Amino acid sequence: MSPRRPDPASPRPLDRALSLPLLETVYRIASLDVSAAERSEQLTIALREHTTDADAKTRVKHAVMRIWISPPEPAARAIRWAIDHPEHFPDRRLMHTGALLATVPFVGSALQELGRSFALAESLTVPDLRRRLVARWGEISTVLEATGKTVTSLRRLGVVNGGGRQPVNREPALAASQLGAAWLVHTLMLHRCIASIDMRDASTAPELFWAGPRDPDPSYPHLELHSEGLNRRIWVSAQTGAASGFPR
């Protein structure tokens, strides 16, 4: 099943390129057992090590809060699980890329286009990717700027190399634990806005070209594995449990 066309009203980052140290800082603060107000204040202070004082209070802060601290409601359970279970992510770059997929629709669109091009052995530059994303999201300044920032962020996370007018190439896959792989299926479903996905479709999803090996553990609590007929198995979003666990 193909993902739905992005909602024109949804946020369109990234207007700032992200890095592993920056995302690790945000993740650490998201893990703190403090009030939402204290978490926000501490994030502003911590971000000053990575950006300007103004951006630490506004643009960068707003972008990174959506990923780990105030995710969209549908993604809240998946993000909370990753915060509570860092032991299942031997490579933190995989965890952060999965969180971007779950919470930032534009990044998911970019990953999908890149994954398709790699599967077809196409040569894709940033201008090529920008044209494809403009066709999907519209030709507005935030979309035009976000493409380069997204590729830079993925390069810093070790997902791709190259960029600019040079072809964007895939890097070796990031290591996923079995529970981490199941979590990635969940992030894929969140990006596509779907409640179920065929197991085979999930294993070949272009959005997840950067993760492997993928052998999802069905004990992951927010998905259930169902059988349909003799040969079809599908992942279904589990509806039990608290909706988020995030402080309001």
Side-chain angles (χ1 to χ4, degrees):
M1 181 174 179
S2 298
R4 299 188 307 196
R5 184 176 179 84
D7 180 353
S10 65
R12 296 181 175 182
L14 301 167
D15 65 352
R16 291 290 188 276
L18 306 180
S19 66
L20 180 60
L22 171 60
L23 290 167
E24 280 287 287
T25 294
V26 183
Y27 179 89
R28 175 179 59 80
I29 292 173
S31 305
L32 298 176
D33 184 18
V34 296
S35 69
E38 290 176 290
R39 192 176 287 113
S40 177
E41 182 180 355
Q42 292 197 33
L43 179 61
T44 299
I45 294 170
L47 288 178
R48 290 173 181 153
E49 296 182 11
H50 302 276
T51 187
T52 65
D53 186 65
D55 278 355
K57 296 178 181 177
T58 56
R59 298 177 74 175
V60 171
K61 181 177 181 178
H62 293 159
V64 297
M65 282 192 68
R66 178 181 176 86
I67 301 165
W68 283 117
I69 295 178
S70 300
E73 184 60 29
R77 290 187 304 163
I79 295 300
R80 182 74 257 171
W81 187 87
I83 290 172
D84 291 341
H85 298 89
E87 69 276 11
H88 296 305
F89 299 97
D91 192 328
R92 305 278 281 202
R93 298 174 299 169
L94 177 135
M95 181 186 72
H96 291 298
T97 307
L100 283 165
L101 176 65
T103 61
V104 186
F106 187 87
V107 173
S109 295
L111 287 169
Q112 183 186 58
E113 293 295 341
L114 288 168
R116 285 173 172 169
S117 74
F118 298 146
L120 296 172
E122 293 179 342
S123 178
L124 194 70
T125 64
V126 172
D128 296 331
L129 178 61
R130 183 178 291 115
R131 282 190 288 272
R132 295 186 184 188
L133 294 173
V134 162
R136 187 170 184 180
W137 286 80
E139 189 170 3
I140 60 176
S141 60
T142 50
V143 171
L144 296 173
E145 295 171 3
T147 304
K149 303 299 184 185
T150 297
V151 171
T152 298
S153 300
L154 296 176
R155 186 169 62 243
R156 291 175 175 176
L157 288 169
V159 172
V160 299
N161 61 59
R165 296 194 175 275
Q166 298 300 314
V168 179
N169 302 302
R170 66 192 300 173
E171 289 280 12
L174 305 178
S177 68
Q178 290 184 305
L179 274 167
W183 178 79
L184 287 178
V185 174
H186 194 186
T187 67
L188 171 68
M189 293 166 63
L190 290 164
H191 165 64
R192 293 190 179 186
C193 302
I194 55 177
S196 64
I197 187 170
D198 186 281
M199 194 175 183
R200 288 169 294 188
D201 292 341
S203 69
T204 59
E207 295 95 327
L208 296 177
F209 70 85
W210 42 273
R214 280 181 268 156
D215 184 17
D217 186 335
S219 68
Y220 172 72
H222 301 308
L223 293 180
E224 298 171 353
L225 193 56
H226 293 241
S227 297
E228 288 190 351
L230 295 177
N231 299 312
R232 187 167 186 244
R233 305 190 79 192
I234 60 172
W235 292 105
V236 179
S237 177
Q239 300 301 317
T240 59
S244 66
F246 282 85
R248 294 187 178 275

